[in-house]
Amino acid sequence: MKTFTFTQLALFASVCMSSLANASPTVQEPRDVFTPQVLDPHAGTVWLVGQRQNVTWDTSKAPVNITNKIGRILLRKGGLTTPLILADGFSILLGKIEVTVPWVLDGDDYQVNLFGDSGDFSDFFTIQSNVIMGSPL
């Protein structure tokens, strides 16, 4: 086993410290986070299972350099995001996407979660099955 002298170790440490001192920091370009307000669905909205509905959001304040322009919309219930993907892979700059209302339990505590750079939630809204008294509408 080879042993090192104090002088060799001091020289090695000096070279390492010199390399760290001369390292230049990585310059990152400024990144803009875009958190558009979800406009629809809004409070009072009722979606029926199986129907096509629009999710809309405000793109009027979109920054020039958005870090992630690819959107995804997930369904939330009771304040928790579910694994149900309503839409995926669209441009966050569209401002609107049509989704199919999934087969879920009736409730008035649903939200959509719009992802791009970050997540933004809609108001709470209602999803109902399209069955009344055991017969389809």
Side-chain angles (χ1 to χ4, degrees):
M1 180 169 158
K2 185 171 180 169
T3 59
F4 295 97
T5 66
F6 176 77
T7 305
Q8 290 172 321
L9 289 174
L11 179 62
F12 177 74
S14 173
V15 169
C16 289
M17 296 304 283
S18 159
S19 296
L20 289 174
N22 292 329
S24 60
T26 303
V27 177
Q28 293 185 354
E29 293 182 26
R31 297 180 181 177
D32 294 324
V33 176
F34 181 40
T35 56
Q37 177 186 3
V38 177
L39 304 173
D40 201 30
H42 56 278
T45 298
V46 178
W47 283 3
L48 295 178
V49 167
Q51 288 187 340
R52 303 282 296 168
Q53 297 288 340
N54 286 319
V55 175
T56 60
W57 57 94
D58 182 10
T59 61
S60 66
K61 296 176 186 162
V64 175
N65 297 319
I66 299 173
T67 56
N68 182 16
K69 294 180 184 177
I70 306 302
R72 172 180 276 187
I73 298 175
L74 299 172
L75 187 65
R76 290 175 53 89
K77 170 129 177 76
L80 299 173
T81 301
T82 72
L84 293 173
I85 299 171
L86 301 180
D88 195 26
F90 57 89
S91 170
I92 199 72
L93 298 174
L94 286 175
K96 177 172 107 172
I97 195 85
E98 190 176 62
V99 301
T100 300
V101 181
W103 292 92
V104 294
L105 297 173
D106 289 4
D108 60 1
D109 58 345
Y110 285 98
Q111 294 173 287
V112 294
N113 191 354
L114 174 65
F115 282 103
D117 277 347
S118 64
D120 195 24
F121 307 136
S122 70
D123 293 337
F124 284 100
F125 67 97
T126 299
I127 296 180
Q128 295 177 344
S129 61
N130 55 5
V131 176
I132 295 178
M133 304 257 194
S135 62
L137 290 175

